[in-house]
């Protein structure tokens, strides 16, 4: 297999081979227009149809109707860390509540503090972000503007279980690294956002699904580009959107719906992949340390270490010789990380597990 088929990068991550082939053709000339996708006007009928299809496909996958707006934004998930408090936490709302469960939610919590007073209801830093809280056991003030959490901590490899009960305050989730990896009840959320470069396509576009009721509390003084209503009113075409990224995102939603068979089907594939990898790592006993406590292990990002930087580096090298790439851990915690996003195949995971077993037999 090629390194492209064996890409375990934390993000931008692997994309399905069939989508890459279509994207390759589209860069030269789109089958529908004969023009390169890189030179297609964002005001063309073709692009309007793509935006519409992307939105409809996401609505089908998530089961959300017109009471939610589906928008395509720029600035990555980091811009959402700022836009969310600017839009939804203005007076008379009480301070929003934040859960700090890892590197990325810490970034969200820190950024919110630049905009508004906010309450940190739980902070896992002292325990090196190996555990998660039970969201339903948190004491959220009735007046909180919203409750924000990160559903999957990409760096540490921690994942919350899906929510199954409504919350008393609007619930907002950064789902950047587990969006569309399994079914969930979108109706429990007031807002969901996810950048594309894990499960949705290339970097450059961020999906935001927002309950229209929440839009009513946006203050009127925000710059237009930072006001969610602008993007909703202009159907995500206010200024030049990332046409290529949105095109590839559309191809990914087609792939999920037509080739994979929807979120229930991808959930089963993802469950098999992560089980195989965790079983392989657990079989090493104490010789391999998985960062997440067992109850909170992520199906998308598996962060682990051989407990010795030389062994970690030797494994990266061994894997590289076999064509496996993208295994370096995040700079904040080091070690190794295998990301098992939707487009990482079961065959690729088999190859990684075999490489781990071979390496373990020779070095442990
Ligand atoms: C869960 C999560 N949130 C936010 C971010 C930041 O995203 P961006 O680089 O699009 O701003 C990342 C980056 O990997 C992430 O994994």
């Amino acid at each position: 297999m090629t390194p492209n088929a064996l890409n375990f990068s934390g993000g931008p991550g692997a994309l399905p081979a069939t989508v890459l082939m279509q994207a390759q053709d589209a860069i030269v000339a789109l089958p529908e227009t004969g023009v390169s996708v890189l030179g297609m006007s964002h005001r063309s009928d073709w692009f309007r149809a793509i935006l519409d299809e992307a939105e409809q496909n996401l609505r089908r996958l998530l089961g959300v109707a017109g009471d939610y707006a589906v928008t395509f934004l720029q600035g990555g998930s980091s811009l959402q860390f700022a836009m969310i408090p600017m839009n939804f936490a203005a007076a008379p709302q009480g301070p929003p509540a934040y859960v700090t469960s890892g590197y990325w939610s810490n970034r969200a919590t820190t950024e919110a503090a630049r905009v508004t007073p906010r309450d940190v209801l739980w902070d896992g830093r002292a325990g090196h972000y190996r555990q998660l809280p039970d969201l339903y056991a948190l004491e959220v003030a009735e007046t909180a503007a919203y409750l924000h959490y990160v559903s999957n901590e990409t760096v540490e490899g921690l994942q919350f279980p899906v929510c199954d009960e409504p919350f008393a305050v609007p619930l907002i989730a950064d789902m950047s690294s587990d969006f569309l990896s399994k079914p969930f009840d979108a109706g429990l959320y007031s807002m969901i956002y996810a950048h594309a470069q894990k499960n949705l396509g290339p970097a450059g576009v961020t999906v935001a699904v927002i309950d229209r009721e929440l839009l009513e509390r946006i203050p009127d003084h925000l710059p237009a580009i930072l006001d969610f209503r602008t993007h909703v009113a202009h159907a995500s075409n206010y200024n030049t959107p990332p046409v290529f990224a949105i095109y590839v995102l559309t191809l990914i939603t087609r792939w999920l719906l037509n080739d994979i068979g929807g979120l229930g089907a991808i959930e089963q594939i993802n469950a098999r992949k992560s089980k195989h990898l965790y079983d392989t790592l657990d079989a090493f006993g104490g010789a391999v340390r998985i960062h997440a406590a067992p109850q909170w292990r992520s199906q998308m990002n598996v962060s682990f270490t051989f407990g010795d930087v030389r062994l970690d580096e030797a494994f990266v090298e061994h894997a590289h010789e076999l064509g496996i790439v993208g295994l370096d851990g995040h700079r904040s915690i080091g070690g190794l990380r295998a990301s098992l996003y939707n487009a990482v195949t079961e065959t690729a995971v088999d190859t990684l597990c075999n490489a781990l077993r071979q390496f373990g037999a020779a070095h442990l």
Side-chain angles (χ1 to χ4, degrees):
M1 272 192 285
T2 68
N4 211 19
L6 295 169
N7 182 5
F8 292 89
S9 165
L15 294 178
T18 51
V19 168
L20 291 176
M21 300 301 281
Q22 291 172 77
Q24 170 177 271
D25 288 348
I27 284 177
V28 179
L30 280 162
E32 305 93 288
T33 68
V35 173
S36 162
V37 65
L38 302 181
M40 281 302 296
S41 164
H42 61 299
R43 302 285 174 212
S44 62
D45 290 345
W46 172 83
F47 186 60
R48 256 189 271 276
I50 285 294
L51 267 177
D52 188 51
E53 184 188 339
E55 176 179 337
Q56 295 315 323
N57 287 353
L58 284 172
R59 287 186 184 282
R60 270 178 69 195
L61 286 162
L62 298 175
V64 298
D67 46 344
Y68 283 85
V70 175
T71 57
F72 302 98
L73 306 169
Q74 298 184 66
S77 290
S78 299
L79 183 59
Q80 296 311 305
F81 294 166
M83 270 176 83
I84 288 166
M86 289 168 94
N87 279 261
F88 302 136
Q93 314 298 328
Y98 277 76
V99 176
T100 307
S101 51
Y103 180 89
W104 286 111
S105 53
N106 185 42
R107 289 273 290 260
T109 306
T110 307
E111 188 71 348
R114 299 169 75 96
V115 178
T116 175
R118 86 286 185 259
D119 289 333
V120 180
L121 297 189
W122 194 88
D123 189 338
R125 182 195 294 263
H128 304 284
Y129 299 129
R130 295 183 197 279
Q131 310 263 357
L132 295 175
D134 173 358
L135 288 181
Y136 289 97
L138 299 174
E139 285 188 25
V140 188
E142 268 170 41
T143 51
Y146 55 80
L147 169 63
H148 180 281
Y149 79 108
V150 173
S151 59
N152 182 76
E153 289 286 1
T154 322
V155 170
E156 293 84 1
L158 306 167
Q159 189 173 29
F160 281 91
V162 287
C163 290
D164 52 6
E165 293 283 336
F167 283 80
V169 303
L171 184 64
I172 299 186
D174 173 356
M175 294 195 179
S176 294
S177 51
D178 66 353
F179 192 54
L180 304 186
S181 67
K182 59 184 173 183
F184 66 97
D185 185 350
L188 295 174
Y189 292 84
S190 291
M191 176 172 173
I192 297 155
Y193 63 100
H195 61 200
Q197 61 263 30
K198 268 62 164 171
N199 277 335
L200 293 175
V205 60
T206 300
V207 171
V209 180
I210 311 172
D211 185 341
R212 289 184 198 272
E213 256 182 44
L214 207 58
L215 298 174
E216 285 167 21
R217 47 157 100 155
I218 300 174
D220 282 326
H221 63 261
L222 296 178
I225 197 152
L226 298 179
D227 184 324
F228 284 116
R229 291 172 302 188
T230 305
H231 301 285
V232 174
H234 290 84
S236 303
N237 212 340
Y238 168 66
N239 63 325
T240 317
V243 172
F244 177 68
I246 293 173
Y247 174 66
V248 178
L249 180 150
T250 309
L251 297 178
I252 292 283
T253 59
R254 282 183 200 161
W255 170 80
L256 261 176
L257 284 164
N258 306 330
D259 300 9
I260 298 292
L263 298 190
I266 198 75
E267 176 183 39
Q268 290 184 14
I269 297 170
N270 287 333
R272 286 197 297 269
K273 286 171 359 193
S274 57
K275 181 173 187 317
H276 189 183
L277 181 52
Y278 283 119
D279 284 352
T280 304
L281 295 174
D282 284 339
F284 290 117
V288 165
R289 207 177 67 230
I290 296 171
H291 187 86
Q295 192 187 349
W296 308 110
R297 288 176 175 181
S298 164
Q299 288 198 342
M300 293 280 102
N301 309 100
V302 181
S303 294
F304 64 99
T305 174
F306 287 100
D308 175 339
V309 82
R310 284 164 305 184
L311 278 178
D312 286 347
E313 281 171 8
F315 179 66
V316 168
E317 210 170 294
H318 170 70
H320 212 258
E321 280 161 16
L322 301 169
I324 299 171
V325 296
L327 288 177
D328 290 312
H330 189 266
R331 60 194 181 282
S332 62
I333 60 169
L336 302 165
R337 173 177 54 174
S339 296
L340 309 179
Y341 298 129
N342 285 352
V344 173
T345 62
E346 291 188 72
T347 317
V349 176
D350 291 347
T351 307
L352 174 61
C353 292
N354 287 338
L356 279 162
R357 278 190 290 266
Q358 253 176 25
F359 183 80
H363 294 89
L364 300 178

